[in-house]
Amino acid sequence: MSLETKAWVAAEQKLGRKAARLPVVWGLAQISAGIGQIYCAAHLLALVLLPALRSSTAIFLYVAGFSIFVLLRALCLDQTESRSFELGAAARRRLRSDMFSRLLAVGPNGLHGRHSAELAAVAVDRVEAMEGFHARWIPATSLAVLGPGLIGIVALVVDWRSGLILLVAGLLVPVAMAVAGIGAGVAARRQFVAMTRLQVRFLDRIRGISTIVLAGRTADEAAALGRAADELRSRTMRVLRVAFLSSTALDLAAAAALVLVVIRFAPHLESNLILAQKALFLLLLVPEFFAPLRAFAAVYQDRMAAEAVGEDLATLPAMPAPIAPVEIRNIAAHGVTLAFEDVSFGWGSARGPVLEHLSFRVPAGETMLLTGTSGAGKSTIIDLILGFITPESGKVTFNGIELTTVIPAARERMIAWIGQKPMIFGGTIGENIRFARPEATDEALAQAVKLARLSDVIAELPRGLDTPIGEAGFGLSGGQAQRIAIARAFLKDAPLLLLDEPTAHLDPAIERDVLESLKRLAIGRTVVLASHAALALEFAHDTGARRLDLDAIRHAKFRGVA
Amino acid sequence: MIPVMKILRLWQAHYWHLALGALLALAALAAGIALMQNAGLYTATAVLGGVLLVPVALQMAGVARVVLRYLERLVSHDAMFRALGRVRVWFFTGLANSAAGGLGLRRAGDALARLVNDVEALDGLYLRIIVPGLAALMLLPVLLVVLSRENGWALLVIFPFAVIALVLPWQAAALAGDNAKRVSLAMAGLRNAALDTLSGLREVKIFAAEGRMLALVQARESALLAAQRELAQRVSRLNIIGFITVQAGILLVLLLGFMSGPVASAVALFVAVAAFEAVSAMPRAGVLLGQSRVAAARVVEAAEAGPTVPDPAAPPPPLTGYAVSFEHVGFRYAHDLPFVFENLSLQLPAGSRTAILGPSGAGKSTIAGLLLKLAAPQSGKIKLGTVDIAALPAEAVRSKIAYLSQTTHLFADTIRNNLLLGDPSADEARLWAALESAQLAGVVRALPNGLDEWLGEGGNTLSGGQGRRLALARTLLSQAPILLLDEPCAGLDAATEAAFFETLNHAVAGRTLVLIAHRLTGVEKLDRIWRLAGGSLVAAAG
């Protein structure tokens, strides 16, 4: 376990402890009611054994007491369960909200190259696995100390010798585990680790199953999987042989406590009602004394699961620092002049600098074509303008104001962007276009659809704008998906338009068509077009754009294409 | 119940281990009951002034309890490990033989991961459902005997026992089964929202949709929690009913004591307490059973789906050559879907180098799927040499084709084992030759463990381009005469892609090469270039 993970688990534990106070109180109340119930049962049984001392009043009282305590216990059990569920639910809500807030704040470049599907699995499944930690493990840890403690004290008060037997037996459980050199719950840990390893291998082989099938290696891999499971079994069992001794310590303590309490009382009991009551009470208390310890051992795997989750969650990016209010500026919402002033940027020392002292200026309403081979820095420039990354030195300015001093919401209002493959969200085609501006009127939506030349496409769909699309744009061609992106940009109507290889994934026939639409979109806006397609040069020609060739010149030099 | 029975039948080879584990569990439970019984017996005898012997039986029961519990844990865990290994091998083989083998043509990692979760859900079947269930069944006669000694009426205690050990678990299983569908639906909703948010992070930021997406995720999460809360509340109610029922049973035993022999009554009480404690978790086992049943149904369905293209019954004719021809092939994925192509013809002479281009969705990958027998055409023929591949078993066709696509998986294993998948008989020299051809030998040589370097999950010890090269090396290692490459570089940047194809130009001398792509980088050396559009192939400028 890494240091980060350790700190993360500790922090979660602290938060969990705080939240779990109420369920723990209900758990203790349940144990207290249990003591009362056993008290009544023991007195009833004593009366059964010594008929001479019976009175119907006493019987009635103990039966009534027994029943009331049972109902109280039932109430406490119900409360403990529902509150534990809410503990787990609140923790999951908090973790997910925290995770998404962070990822949404840092943006696409903060994911450190982790695949979005993998992160989604973390947000859904890994966080789900934290339920047990908060709902069960944390309350169980408190109760494993408080429960036996409470019962032990009661036993001490009733009969100090028996109380001592119980407390010593209870304390011996962790001591025996430690002496055996195993530490609490090591069995659970080993088993968990072993299972996880098998799980990972199995999942990996299942994910790659088509590769195996098409390579004709099914039988070999199946045999290898069987061998791995078998090897794992024998290795794990060797460890478990020792590790189960810790559970055996608990069994031994429980059995020994019971036998010792019997032996302590047996010689003195004859026809002694008071002592018989005490003896029966303490005997029936023995299983109750060990119940919280057993419950604790049973949920130890939830703690293991939390460590595995921690490995994933502890390394998520931190929340970026908010922009200090004094620095917030206003920028006119129409007409953006974009400028880079001596900007340098690199993706870490290993990969070397991407941009070195780059300066250029795109006046409001004009278009700039960015060309260069892959890796020359086209996408880096776009990401710098989007604010997803910040320059190492120099500044990016909008109308002369440095971008890093603009609050993200204001910056986002000014920019529209179209990339290689637009993201199509689950929902209808109308909702997907409205994604750009949810409050847009139907007229504005219809206008955007028309301008993006989507009208014909939508007319052919069975339910028009209400046709569901999604799951990576199922049912839409690349050209149609790109038109949705264009419609979004029209609907957003931002003064600065960034186009990052917008036709890279399109058929040449469709490419020209899409470029026509983009040309219309570009009118009256400041545009940066990154592309290496031949057609883009034509586009730049038609819009009278300037060109920045990142290959030919590392430093800013402008050349008119026209 | 049928799918669960199927899983149980899989365990056949391990029945002895499983039975021994269960028997030891029963014995340990019996020892526990005996321990409490003797505790009650000694105490009651002492109270009544009976003759006290050294409590040998008590001590023996205590020792037996501890020892048997230890043995039970060992044997039952060993049996469980055996059983779950067996289930995994069966599932893997079944999935490989069934339609899911064709999942490679789509990105289906998520669906597969969910199936793997279902397989894992079955791990608790033995230890947490079957063993406790058997224990409950065994306790029944024990209770009958001990209680009837107290008083005939004490047999009434069977009712609360039956409620907690049988009725409530059964109800819990039904509740959990119904709820499992609701939960998995809500879970899918949450998963989609999470995936949409994170895959579309760029769009989300640019359109200032952070708040909206967060709200969506939270709404989906609330739906999931509501579904789970519903089950938790219902099960909690069952647990409360169970608890009160059990305590009523104990009170009944106590009260009957006033009408019967004192010692027998004390013993009955202690045994009842121990017995009820042993079955108190049965409603929880019921919940697990309900969930396992749903999981088992999905697992069995996936594993027994059977191949989409069954192998021919007749013995395959001998192969005459490796030229591939598509002759008037018509295909659609389902009767209610449009044709991908209605009359497609294509010649791929042995040793030729052909590219098939076209926009996504035009059916390029379908051509690969048909050739690999992952699907069968509705009309027309696909021939390998002069033999219709419909007359050949899938294995025979696939062994002649080395297939490489963007979904080609790199396994969490050593580089060596990843390569050997292409040809298990390859020696060290051939492994290096393949790496050399794929221009990866230098990289591998520089790794601390060379060929034995362990690749992380999904192969992330290597960069994207290196990963593709490793997959290429594996493909080259296979001695299949046809190389079928389906967008092998999708997702990589253009420079890496171009370098990959430069490599390919020199690496596949003599074999038939079919390259499927949405566009060319310009460095590929090809004999023919076809463009697939509107269901037919058009020659494109080479």
Side-chain angles (χ1 to χ4, degrees):
Chain A
M1 202 173 27
S2 72
L3 277 178
E4 279 162 325
T5 311
K6 225 175 233 173
W8 185 86
V9 172
E12 279 295 304
Q13 195 155 334
K14 207 171 154 195
L15 276 172
R17 283 255 158 79
K18 221 176 191 175
R21 271 180 208 155
L22 200 55
V24 167
V25 168
W26 278 108
L28 269 182
Q30 191 269 124
I31 291 171
S32 311
I35 296 174
Q37 184 203 342
I38 285 169
Y39 179 83
C40 295
H43 281 71
L44 273 176
L45 187 59
L47 293 180
V48 167
L49 290 174
L50 299 169
L53 301 163
R54 273 179 210 167
S55 80
S56 47
T57 334
I59 294 177
F60 174 77
L61 272 179
Y62 288 131
V63 169
F66 184 94
S67 309
I68 289 169
F69 279 123
V70 164
L71 292 177
L72 276 177
R73 254 184 120 173
L75 173 73
C76 296
L77 277 173
D78 186 51
Q79 285 295 322
T80 316
E81 282 195 31
S82 62
R83 279 175 203 279
S84 296
F85 177 85
E86 295 308 329
L87 272 187
R92 280 177 285 164
R93 256 196 300 259
R94 170 176 57 77
L95 286 167
R96 286 205 180 100
S97 156
D98 180 57
M99 176 172 172
F100 277 103
S101 301
R102 285 199 211 185
L103 293 177
L104 284 167
V106 296
N109 289 312
L111 303 189
H112 300 306
R114 288 172 81 174
H115 199 280
S116 56
E118 179 210 330
L119 281 172
V122 171
V124 177
D125 301 312
R126 292 303 214 172
V127 170
E128 202 60 19
M130 284 301 287
E131 205 236 332
F133 183 79
H134 286 282
R136 294 185 290 274
W137 193 76
I138 286 186
T141 47
S142 300
L143 286 175
V145 177
L146 296 175
L150 179 66
I151 296 178
I153 290 170
V154 170
L156 272 179
V157 171
V158 173
D159 176 70
W160 70 267
R161 288 192 190 86
S162 308
L164 211 59
I165 292 171
L166 278 183
L167 285 174
V168 168
L171 283 176
L172 272 181
V173 174
V175 172
M177 289 172 182
V179 167
I182 325 172
V186 96
R189 182 188 297 259
R190 295 298 176 140
Q191 199 185 335
F192 186 85
V193 169
M195 286 301 295
T196 310
R197 247 179 241 151
L198 181 66
Q199 238 69 293
V200 166
R201 184 188 170 102
F202 182 57
L203 180 62
D204 182 48
R205 292 314 193 260
I206 292 286
R207 275 187 195 278
I209 196 162
S210 68
T211 302
I212 294 170
V213 171
L214 294 176
R217 297 290 307 283
T218 309
D220 295 341
E221 274 301 320
L225 195 63
R227 270 198 309 279
D230 217 43
E231 194 192 331
L232 185 90
R233 177 183 59 79
S234 54
R235 211 157 5 107
T236 310
M237 287 314 296
R238 233 173 306 167
V239 179
L240 288 184
R241 243 172 266 163
V242 184
F244 279 146
L245 287 176
S246 65
S247 322
T248 302
L250 185 57
D251 288 334
L252 186 65
L258 192 74
V259 172
L260 286 173
V261 171
V262 172
I263 292 174
R264 178 251 170 280
F265 279 111
H268 319 292
L269 279 177
E270 191 176 345
S271 301
N272 185 338
L273 179 69
I274 305 290
L275 208 55
Q277 285 167 341
K278 276 188 187 175
L280 291 168
F281 174 59
L282 289 165
L283 273 181
L284 290 171
L285 215 48
V286 172
E288 292 293 321
F289 179 85
F290 288 98
L293 289 171
R294 282 189 205 286
F296 171 69
V299 296
Y300 201 84
Q301 67 193 46
D302 288 321
R303 148 95 210 194
M304 302 285 89
E307 280 174 19
V309 178
E311 301 279 348
D312 273 320
L313 285 181
T315 50
L316 285 180
M319 207 68 177
I323 293 168
V326 283
E327 292 183 345
I328 292 174
R329 315 269 184 87
N330 270 321
I331 301 178
H334 53 85
V336 170
T337 297
L338 167 75
F340 271 44
E341 294 173 20
D342 209 24
V343 170
S344 297
F345 183 83
W347 293 103
S349 52
R351 287 163 66 180
V354 182
L355 304 175
E356 284 180 288
H357 307 290
L358 178 72
S359 299
F360 64 80
R361 187 164 166 274
V362 190
E366 291 195 15
T367 296
M368 185 183 75
L369 176 65
L370 268 179
T371 58
T373 50
S374 172
K378 298 194 297 287
S379 295
T380 306
I381 290 174
I382 300 264
D383 279 2
L384 280 165
I385 302 170
L386 285 166
F388 291 159
I389 47 179
T390 47
E392 278 162 13
S393 65
K395 357 180 215 186
V396 179
T397 65
F398 283 11
N399 292 347
I401 292 165
E402 195 175 349
L403 199 56
T404 47
T405 66
V406 180
I407 55 166
R411 184 181 63 222
E412 282 160 0
R413 253 202 311 281
M414 284 185 288
I415 309 175
W417 167 89
I418 296 173
Q420 296 186 4
K421 271 188 178 173
M423 173 71 192
I424 303 296
F425 296 90
T428 67
I429 189 164
E431 284 165 359
N432 260 289
I433 298 170
R434 258 182 214 275
F435 189 81
R437 193 150 63 89
E439 73 282 5
T441 60
D442 288 349
E443 289 75 37
L445 181 65
Q447 183 68 13
V449 165
K450 204 174 126 212
L451 289 169
R453 297 204 208 170
L454 263 174
S455 311
D456 293 348
V457 176
I458 289 170
E460 278 177 23
L461 292 172
R463 288 164 58 193
L465 275 171
D466 296 325
T467 308
I469 51 178
E471 285 269 296
F474 183 75
L476 292 181
S477 73
Q480 289 165 347
Q482 205 57 299
R483 289 191 181 285
I484 288 182
I486 295 171
R488 281 179 186 156
F490 270 118
L491 196 61
K492 185 169 181 182
D493 197 22
L496 176 59
L497 177 62
L498 305 177
L499 304 171
D500 191 0
E501 306 259 13
T503 58
H505 279 277
L506 301 181
D507 223 18
I510 302 165
E511 185 176 12
R512 182 176 293 275
D513 215 32
V514 167
L515 273 175
E516 280 308 308
S517 298
L518 288 175
K519 239 180 254 173
R520 193 138 36 118
L521 177 61
I523 295 169
R525 302 176 213 274
T526 312
V527 180
V528 176
L529 167 64
S531 179
H532 59 238
L535 275 174
L537 290 175
E538 202 179 299
F539 176 98
H541 183 96
D542 292 354
T543 51
R546 315 228 246 174
R547 175 173 172 193
L548 179 64
D549 188 340
L550 293 167
D551 288 335
I553 10 153
R554 293 295 276 184
H555 303 290
K557 278 186 192 165
F558 278 86
R559 223 169 355 132
V561 179
Chain B
M1 209 55 197
I2 303 299
V4 171
M5 290 309 290
K6 275 217 167 93
I7 303 292
L8 296 190
R9 221 168 297 150
L10 283 178
W11 294 350
Q12 228 159 18
H14 310 301
Y15 278 168
W16 283 113
H17 288 102
L18 294 161
L20 184 62
L23 270 180
L24 280 167
L26 295 185
L29 179 60
I33 300 273
L35 180 64
M36 282 296 271
Q37 182 201 6
N38 278 299
L41 183 66
Y42 276 100
T43 314
T45 315
V47 171
L48 293 175
V51 183
L52 270 172
L53 301 167
V54 182
V56 180
L58 182 65
Q59 288 162 349
M60 272 175 49
V63 172
R65 161 92 184 143
V66 173
V67 173
L68 284 169
R69 278 287 284 161
Y70 178 73
L71 290 177
E72 175 213 333
R73 285 198 181 100
L74 273 191
V75 174
S76 62
H77 277 79
D78 181 76
M80 175 205 67
F81 274 120
R82 284 173 201 271
L84 64 86
R86 173 82 192 101
V87 169
R88 277 161 178 69
V89 171
W90 162 81
F91 179 73
F92 175 83
T93 314
L95 194 65
N97 290 333
S98 75
L103 284 171
L105 291 184
R106 316 182 241 128
R107 281 207 173 274
D110 248 22
L112 291 174
R114 259 168 273 163
L115 274 173
V116 168
N117 277 341
D118 284 336
V119 172
E120 284 166 21
L122 298 178
D123 291 347
L125 207 52
Y126 171 67
L127 275 184
R128 298 170 71 185
I129 300 171
I130 294 178
V131 170
L134 285 177
L137 285 181
M138 185 213 69
L139 276 174
L140 202 61
V142 172
L143 265 187
L144 279 176
V145 171
V146 174
L147 291 174
S148 63
R149 277 199 205 142
E150 184 195 18
N151 188 317
W153 287 100
L155 292 180
L156 284 174
V157 175
I158 294 312
F159 288 107
F161 186 84
V163 167
I164 183 83
L166 299 169
V167 178
L168 292 177
W170 202 252
Q171 285 184 347
L175 282 178
D178 292 342
N179 183 264
K181 285 166 206 137
R182 213 182 130 193
V183 166
S184 77
L185 214 64
M187 195 73 125
L190 175 61
R191 206 181 294 276
N192 284 342
L195 206 54
D196 265 7
T197 305
L198 297 175
S199 318
L201 211 44
R202 222 159 237 284
E203 270 90 345
V204 169
K205 295 282 287 180
I206 287 160
F207 294 114
E210 291 98 328
R212 280 183 269 155
M213 293 316 272
L214 190 60
L216 177 70
V217 168
Q218 286 172 341
R220 298 279 173 87
E221 184 185 39
S222 295
L224 173 66
L225 291 175
Q228 291 172 336
R229 184 178 293 113
E230 182 196 67
L231 179 67
Q233 281 170 350
R234 291 189 174 174
V235 170
S236 171
R237 211 171 305 146
L238 290 185
N239 274 331
I240 300 302
I241 294 172
F243 176 74
I244 293 177
T245 312
V246 162
Q247 302 305 328
I250 287 175
L251 187 61
L252 181 66
V253 174
L254 265 171
L255 291 179
L256 287 171
F258 290 111
M259 311 192 310
S260 14
V263 173
S265 304
V267 169
L269 177 73
F270 274 74
V271 169
V273 167
F276 279 127
E277 198 205 331
V279 294
S280 64
M282 281 301 290
R284 291 252 175 260
V287 173
L288 280 180
L289 176 63
Q291 289 163 344
S292 301
R293 275 204 297 220
V294 177
R298 280 192 293 245
V299 165
V300 168
E301 192 194 334
E304 297 192 337
T308 34
V309 185
D311 280 341
L319 279 177
T320 49
Y322 301 125
V324 174
S325 56
F326 280 61
E327 297 178 359
H328 310 293
V329 169
F331 177 76
R332 54 180 164 181
Y333 280 98
H335 296 295
D336 50 352
L337 290 177
F339 274 98
V340 181
F341 20 76
E342 281 181 90
N343 184 5
L344 183 89
S345 293
L346 171 68
Q347 305 294 325
L348 303 166
S352 65
R353 303 169 68 96
T354 308
I356 299 172
L357 307 181
S360 52
K364 301 184 307 275
S365 292
T366 307
I367 293 180
L370 289 172
L371 189 51
L372 289 162
K373 287 200 80 172
L374 295 171
Q378 277 93 20
S379 62
K381 277 181 193 171
I382 301 166
K383 285 185 176 169
L384 189 58
T386 53
V387 180
D388 187 342
I389 63 168
L392 295 167
E395 185 79 47
V397 177
R398 290 173 193 161
S399 66
K400 299 293 172 278
I401 302 169
Y403 173 70
L404 173 62
S405 81
Q406 54 178 307
T407 57
T408 295
H409 192 77
L410 291 178
F411 293 91
D413 209 322
T414 58
I415 289 179
R416 182 190 303 276
N417 284 341
N418 264 292
L419 285 172
L420 286 176
L421 196 78
D423 181 0
S425 65
D427 57 16
E428 188 95 5
R430 281 190 49 216
L431 295 184
W432 283 110
L435 286 172
E436 210 72 64
S437 305
Q439 297 193 356
L440 195 66
V443 175
V444 174
R445 227 170 259 129
L447 292 171
N449 297 314
L451 278 175
D452 293 310
E453 184 76 17
W454 190 269
L455 294 183
E457 205 180 335
N460 51 23
T461 311
L462 300 176
S463 75
Q466 291 167 344
R468 293 296 88 199
R469 281 165 194 277
L470 182 60
L472 176 65
R474 177 204 282 165
T475 311
L476 295 175
L477 202 59
S478 132
Q479 303 192 334
I482 301 165
L483 287 183
L484 177 58
L485 275 56
D486 185 1
E487 305 258 12
C489 287
L492 297 181
D493 63 87
T496 315
E497 192 177 359
F500 177 89
F501 285 118
E502 295 256 21
T503 308
L504 194 67
N505 287 338
H506 311 289
V508 293
R511 302 200 217 181
T512 310
L513 173 75
V514 186
L515 171 67
I516 291 172
H518 68 273
R519 62 165 58 200
L520 296 174
T521 62
V523 300
E524 300 90 346
K525 280 190 192 152
L526 297 161
D527 303 332
R528 293 163 210 222
I529 299 171
W530 297 101
R531 184 168 291 285
L532 181 64
S536 54
L537 288 166
V538 188

